[in-house]
Amino acid sequence: MRRGPERKGIERVEDSERHGKPSSVFIVWFASNLTIADYALGSVLYGLPFPWIYAIVVVANLAAGAILGAAAAMGPRFGLPQMAISARAFGWNANRAFAIAQWLSTIGWFSVNTVIATFALLQIVPLPYWAGALVIVAVMAAVGIYGHDAVHGFERAMSIVLGVVFAALIYVAVGAARSALPRYTASFSPFAAAIALASVFSYLVSWAPYASDYSRYLPGGTDLRRIAIYAMVGGALASAWVELLGTAVYVAAGNPNLSIMSATVDVVGRIWAPAVMAAIVLGGLAANALNLYSNSISAQAISSKFRRIYAAAAGAAIGYALSLLGGIYVGFTSFYEGFLLLLDYWIMPWAGVLIATVYAGRGRGGAREALAAYGVGLAASTPFMNLTPYGVQYVGPLAGAMGGADVSYFVSFAIAIIAYLALVRLRHGPR
């Protein structure tokens, strides 16, 4: 058994180093999605008829979970983290662009989660903001520096603690929501439904560039279908559970414009407030354990000169600095979240190409086909984009024709797969 911080970074895990059980994949994606980000989506789902809410939550999470599972199943097969598998498909030089996007995404979500967790912590313990943020970052820095096994151990603990807290919150919130149902006004809007669908889908699928980071140590003979199912079910179950809980809280509060903290405290009362704040803190830590570790892997995909341990320490320091901005400037966190969600548009054509290369390409395609298919998928999806929710005044013509509905995630994913397979067939012929 390895002792001390993990020394391995982006390089392949050899057979002699493989260990763990497939169930660990379920736990890591279950715990990391019992978070405030999913919980807060209740404000986006609020106002839709309940059948539509249930349908959106189930369909979007299963679809996103299937992509997460397909990516996670690559870990035991290659023994590599996701950005290294990506480099095999796109080439190391071109892949740096994706690694940079992933580095920005992980450091961004690390800082946003730190801001939210710190404000929740300060409701429990009277500390200056900078000190509370330092406590949050220090815990995550220790886990991120220690590495893969520490992340899995931390998520096991969080799955139990957060599971108990959110189960208790369901009991309170659902009871309050039932009492508020006569005041709930629901109406179906294609635009609102599309925004909700894209939001729910994008939160879970945004983990895809992390997926094999937490399965690559599993033995090479592990049933890959089990890995895919464990990851899909773990992520989808936790996300759906917390999103429906958040919706119940907003229905009970009757005001989707409240912050999720204010809405929850209004519903559960001051007695339960410390437990709610503790859940928000721990949920932020659960997500950030993955953010920081994968951030260090992304840094190595940008340049092999970075050592993983030092990259994790540097990521924690940068994330702390960004979190201080979030504590000082009002509106910084919401602005930053919009930027990060906008950044997620790179993921879907990338995931489409990567899944096609691993599961359908049969090793015949090269970086040229992969990059061309990525470009085709991204370009084909731009008319379907509506970027106004993220602060960019762009509505694609096809999105506008659909009342502002943004289905670009699904278009870019499907077109990228089709384009890659067509290009491989065109170059190499049928097989």
Side-chain angles (χ1 to χ4, degrees), residues 85-419:
I85 299 173
S86 176
R88 289 169 59 98
F90 293 97
W92 280 98
N93 289 329
N95 191 66
R96 287 193 176 93
F98 301 120
I100 290 170
Q102 173 67 347
W103 187 91
L104 289 172
S105 180
T106 50
I107 201 68
W109 285 116
F110 179 88
S111 61
V112 166
N113 286 332
T114 298
V115 171
I116 296 171
T118 300
F119 280 128
L121 178 64
L122 300 187
Q123 300 297 313
I124 305 171
V125 183
L127 290 172
Y129 177 86
W130 67 267
L134 187 60
V135 170
I136 298 293
V137 171
V139 172
M140 288 300 92
V143 174
I145 289 171
Y146 198 88
H148 177 274
D149 288 354
V151 172
H152 274 279
F154 186 79
E155 298 301 337
R156 281 195 297 272
M158 290 300 99
S159 67
I160 297 171
V161 175
L162 288 171
V164 170
V165 173
F166 279 116
L169 284 176
I170 282 181
Y171 176 77
V172 177
V174 170
R178 285 176 178 171
S179 300
L181 280 179
R183 302 190 303 273
Y184 181 68
T185 303
S187 61
F188 177 74
S189 160
F191 175 69
I195 289 293
L197 181 68
S199 298
V200 172
F201 177 82
S202 65
Y203 268 104
L204 183 56
V205 86
S206 65
W207 289 112
Y210 305 54
S212 73
D213 297 7
Y214 307 99
S215 58
R216 62 183 174 135
Y217 274 91
L218 291 173
T222 303
D223 186 343
L224 302 186
R225 289 171 298 182
R226 290 181 66 193
I227 298 298
I229 292 171
Y230 274 130
M232 179 183 73
V233 174
L237 178 62
S239 295
W241 175 10
V242 178
E243 287 155 9
L244 291 175
L245 172 60
T247 304
V249 166
Y250 274 105
V251 169
N255 183 359
N257 297 315
L258 292 173
S259 72
I260 189 62
M261 293 187 192
S262 298
T264 305
V265 172
D266 284 354
V267 171
V268 304
R270 293 292 171 183
I271 295 177
W272 278 86
V276 173
M277 296 303 115
I280 292 172
V281 172
L282 295 176
L285 293 176
N288 270 354
L290 274 62
N291 282 322
L292 186 58
Y293 179 75
S294 289
N295 179 263
S296 67
I297 297 295
S298 299
Q300 289 194 303
I302 296 170
S303 174
S304 59
K305 295 180 180 179
F306 296 126
R307 289 187 60 189
R308 193 200 63 77
I309 293 174
Y310 299 141
I318 295 169
Y320 177 64
L322 289 171
S323 71
L324 293 181
L325 289 176
I328 294 172
Y329 297 107
V330 176
F332 174 82
T333 300
S334 59
F335 167 80
Y336 205 14
E337 282 185 358
F339 165 73
L340 293 169
L341 291 171
L342 182 65
L343 190 65
D344 277 354
Y345 280 92
W346 75 270
I347 293 175
M348 290 311 296
W350 168 86
V353 172
L354 192 62
I355 288 172
T357 61
V358 172
Y359 297 109
R362 300 180 181 178
R364 296 193 298 155
R368 183 182 302 176
E369 289 88 355
L371 289 168
Y374 179 87
V376 170
L378 187 62
S381 70
T382 54
F384 295 89
M385 292 181 181
N386 180 357
L387 306 183
T388 53
Y390 315 119
V392 177
Q393 297 306 307
Y394 172 78
V395 180
L398 295 178
M402 293 185 292
D406 185 333
V407 296
S408 61
Y409 285 120
F410 312 103
V411 172
S412 63
F413 179 74
I415 295 297
I417 292 176
I418 294 170

